[in-house]
Amino acid sequence: MKEKEILEGIKTRLGIETLNDIQREMLAKSSESRDIILLSPTGSGKTLAFTLPVLKLMKPSTGRIQCVVIAPSRELVIQIASVMREAGKLFRVVALYGGHKVEDEVNSLKVVPDIVVATPGRLLDHSVRKNLELLPVRMLVLDEFDKTLELGFEEEMEKLMKRMKNVSRIILTSATRADTLPEFLKLDNPVTIDYSSNSEEVRGRMNVRTVAADSNDKLESLLTLLHNINDGKETLEKTIIFLNHRESAERVYEFLRKKKVAAVLYHGALDQKDRETAVALFNNGSRPILVATDLAARGLDIEKVKSVVHYHQPLTPESYTHRNGRTARVDKDGDIYLLLGPDEELKEFVSPDGSLQLDGKREADLSQKFMTLYISGGKREKLSKGDILGFFVKECGVAPSEIGKIDVFDHYSLAAVREGAVAPLLNAAEGRKLKGEKRRIRPLS
C-alpha cells in the first residue's frame, strides 16, 4: 500500500490524526530491507507501529497468505486482528486461536486471507491439517516474542519456521530486551528500534501510593479505597484490582458483588466466552471495576483505565511493570495503589511516590449505571453494530443517548444500555424481528 493511503485509512477508521515517534520510525524503517526488533513499553501504540510497515509492504491480494502475526495469547490475537482489520481495509485478516469453534476458523480460511493473526499452537494445527498453506508467507511478526518463548512455544515456533521458508522480513516486538534469540529465527542484519527508555516518561505519569489496610484480610480496606477513589464522581473510574491467585480473585469478586459494586471477574480458568464477556463489560462501563489475575496485565484490549490496585503485591518486577502498564497509556495519567496488610513489607522493586490515608467516611455510588444486554446473534449471523443500534432506536423507541458500546462476536452480541431504559426496551423488543429473525435479548446478571 502507498503510505498516503495507509495514513488516510487510520485517520478515517481509527481516528488517529498523528503518528507517535515509534510508529513514524517503524514506518520509515519499512523501506529498508532489514529485519526489525522493536523494544517498546506497554501502552506505546506498538500494535499500530508494526501494522504500518506490514501494510506498506503488502501487495494487492494474491490469493495467498502474505503475512503471519504470531502472539502468545488469544486476547492479544483478537486485539491485533481488530487493529489490522481497521487499518488495512483492503486486506482480509483472519484470527486463529483456541477457545472457540474450529469449524468457524476452517470456514474463514476457505477464502484465503492476506494476513493471519494466530497463537503458535493453533496456527501449527491448521497448517498440519492443511487448512492453510504457509509456504508463500513473506512477512512474519512475532509480537511479545519474549513472552512466547517464556511460555514454552519454542518447539512449535521452530516447526512453523520450517513451514515458512520464504519469509524475507521478520519483525520482533517486546517490552524488554532478550539476552539471546533462537537460532531458527535466522534474522537478517536486524535493526533494533529501542524505545524501552520511554518507560521512565510513562512512570512520570503514574502516581504510585501505598495504602495501609486495617487487617491482613484487606477486603474492607479495598472497599473503602474504592469509595475514596470514586467519591464525588458521576461515573466510576475504570479500575483493575490485581491478585496473584485465581481463588483469591474469586473471593474478592464475590465480596464486592455482595456489596453491590459494579465489578467483573477475569482469570485463566474462565472459558473464552466468559473472558470475552468480562472484557466487554469492563470496556462498555457496565462493570468498570475488573478483578483479575496477571492474565489481564498484558495483551488485552482494555480502554481508559484510570487506576490499578495491587491487592497482592506482584511476584516479579516484570509483573509489576505490566500491571502498571494497564494505566497511564499514550499520554494519560494513572493512579497506582499498593494495598498493604499490617505485617506486609514492600517489595524491593517498588518505589512509591507517597501514601494514601483512607477516609472511612467517604461514600460513593459503586453500583452500575449501565446494564449489558445479551443478543443471540453475531458476525456469523450477519449482525452488525448498526443493525443492533437501529433496532433499539427505531423498533424499540430507545434514545441513542441511552445506548452505550456495542460488541459483536462470532455468535452473540453485547450492548450496554442505561439501566432505566432496559425494561422498556425489552418490552418493546418482545416478538419483534432483528434483521429478519426473532433473537433472544436478555440482561446479563
Side-chain angles (χ1 to χ4, degrees):
M1 282 181 75
K2 293 181 180 178
E3 196 168 307
K4 185 179 178 182
E5 288 179 287
I6 296 170
L7 296 177
E8 286 176 352
I10 64 171
K11 180 180 178 180
T12 303
R13 292 184 288 274
L14 295 175
I16 295 173
E17 300 272 351
T18 308
L19 302 181
N20 64 26
D21 291 343
I22 299 173
Q23 293 158 353
R24 278 195 296 272
E25 187 166 355
M26 285 291 285
L27 188 55
K29 291 296 182 186
S30 62
S31 300
E32 301 179 16
S33 298
R34 298 171 67 185
D35 294 330
I36 300 173
I37 299 174
L38 172 62
L39 305 176
S40 66
T42 302
S44 58
K46 170 174 60 69
T47 302
L48 184 58
F50 69 69
T51 295
L52 293 170
V54 167
L55 293 180
K56 189 172 178 180
L57 294 168
M58 291 286 287
K59 296 177 180 178
S61 293
T62 61
R64 296 180 175 184
I65 301 169
Q66 297 185 56
C67 175
V68 165
V69 182
I70 295 177
S73 69
R74 65 188 78 175
E75 289 81 8
L76 193 51
V77 165
I78 293 166
Q79 177 192 338
I80 294 167
S82 175
V83 171
M84 296 190 93
R85 283 191 190 105
E86 290 301 312
K89 277 289 188 183
L90 295 177
F91 303 106
R92 190 161 188 274
V93 181
V94 167
L96 308 175
Y97 54 90
H100 68 163
K101 292 182 179 179
V102 177
E103 294 83 359
D104 285 345
E105 291 188 348
V106 172
N107 288 334
S108 71
L109 292 168
K110 286 180 178 177
V111 177
V112 179
D114 303 291
I115 300 171
V116 171
V117 186
T119 51
R122 197 62 161 228
L123 181 63
L124 183 60
D125 183 61
H126 279 295
S127 180
V128 169
R129 294 173 185 270
K130 301 189 184 304
N131 295 329
L132 49 71
E133 176 55 68
L134 295 176
L135 193 60
V137 174
R138 297 183 298 109
M139 288 179 280
L140 173 65
V141 180
L142 299 184
D143 192 28
E144 296 196 358
F145 69 88
D146 57 325
K147 190 70 174 176
T148 303
L149 300 179
E150 178 187 308
L151 291 174
F153 292 130
E154 198 160 340
E155 185 178 341
E156 291 171 337
M157 285 301 310
E158 187 167 8
K159 291 178 180 177
L160 284 167
M161 290 303 297
K162 290 177 180 177
R163 292 170 177 266
M164 293 187 280
K165 294 179 181 178
N166 290 312
V167 166
S168 57
R169 184 68 64 92
I170 297 176
I171 299 174
L172 305 183
T173 82
S174 175
T176 54
R177 186 183 293 273
D179 295 329
T180 58
L181 294 172
E183 288 185 12
F184 61 76
L185 287 177
K186 298 178 181 176
L187 297 181
D188 178 22
N189 187 26
V191 57
T192 298
I193 298 175
D194 189 353
Y195 281 84
S196 55
S197 60
N198 279 22
S199 57
E200 294 178 12
E201 186 265 330
V202 175
R203 174 63 178 87
R205 298 200 307 273
M206 295 177 178
N207 187 11
V208 181
R209 285 174 285 180
T210 58
V211 180
D214 293 336
S215 68
N216 288 322
D217 185 85
K218 300 185 186 179
L219 286 173
E220 291 295 341
S221 295
L222 172 65
L223 184 61
T224 303
L225 173 60
L226 293 175
H227 279 292
N228 278 243
I229 290 172
N230 291 287
D231 186 30
K233 293 172 181 170
E234 288 186 17
T235 57
L236 296 182
E237 283 192 355
K238 281 190 178 174
T239 300
I240 304 180
I241 303 165
F242 281 108
L243 299 99
N244 290 340
H245 310 290
R246 185 179 73 219
E247 295 79 11
S248 302
E250 290 173 346
R251 175 172 169 268
V252 168
Y253 167 73
E254 292 298 337
F255 168 79
L256 292 177
R257 291 301 286 167
K258 285 177 182 175
K259 296 294 183 179
K260 310 298 183 187
V261 177
V264 66
L265 178 66
Y266 187 93
H267 59 61
L270 299 174
D271 66 29
Q272 175 63 18
K273 186 175 180 180
D274 288 338
R275 283 154 67 177
E276 283 179 347
T277 299
V279 173
L281 294 178
F282 182 65
N283 277 337
N284 72 22
S286 61
R287 302 281 183 85
I289 295 170
L290 183 70
V291 181
T293 59
D294 279 342
L295 185 66
R298 58 198 291 186
L300 289 187
D301 187 13
I302 287 177
E303 305 164 0
K304 300 176 183 176
V305 178
K306 184 65 171 72
S307 304
V308 166
V309 177
H310 299 275
Y311 189 92
H312 292 149
Q313 289 188 78
L315 301 176
T316 66
E318 292 76 19
S319 175
Y320 180 62
T321 298
H322 286 299
R323 285 182 180 187
N324 291 350
R326 295 284 71 184
T327 187
R329 296 174 78 86
V330 189
D331 58 352
K332 299 291 190 296
D333 294 332
D335 296 315
I336 315 291
Y337 303 96
L338 292 118
L339 198 56
L340 304 176
D343 304 320
E344 192 172 352
E345 293 185 5
L346 201 63
K347 299 271 189 181
E348 67 278 359
F349 51 78
V350 176
S351 300
D353 300 313
S355 60
L356 174 68
Q357 189 70 37
L358 292 178
D359 181 352
K361 295 181 180 179
R362 290 195 176 188
E363 275 200 24
D365 182 0
L366 301 177
S367 63
Q368 60 195 56
K369 310 300 184 295
F370 277 81
M371 184 175 286
T372 294
L373 298 182
Y374 169 92
I375 300 139
S376 63
K379 295 174 186 173
R380 302 289 174 180
E381 290 73 37
K382 308 299 183 185
L383 269 189
S384 69
K385 294 179 184 180
D387 294 329
I388 294 167
L389 179 62
F391 177 75
F392 285 173
V393 173
K394 295 175 183 177
E395 299 294 325
C396 303
V398 178
S401 60
E402 300 290 284
I403 302 166
K405 193 170 187 290
I406 298 172
D407 293 283
V408 181
F409 299 96
D410 281 350
H411 293 289
Y412 70 101
S413 303
L414 301 174
V417 178
R418 199 172 295 278
E419 273 216 308
V422 170
L425 187 155
L426 293 176
N427 286 334
E430 188 70 34
R432 294 179 184 269
K433 291 182 178 180
L434 169 52
K435 203 167 184 182
E437 288 191 30
K438 291 183 180 179
R439 316 272 180 185
R440 282 184 296 116
I441 302 176
R442 60 175 175 80
L444 290 180
S445 57

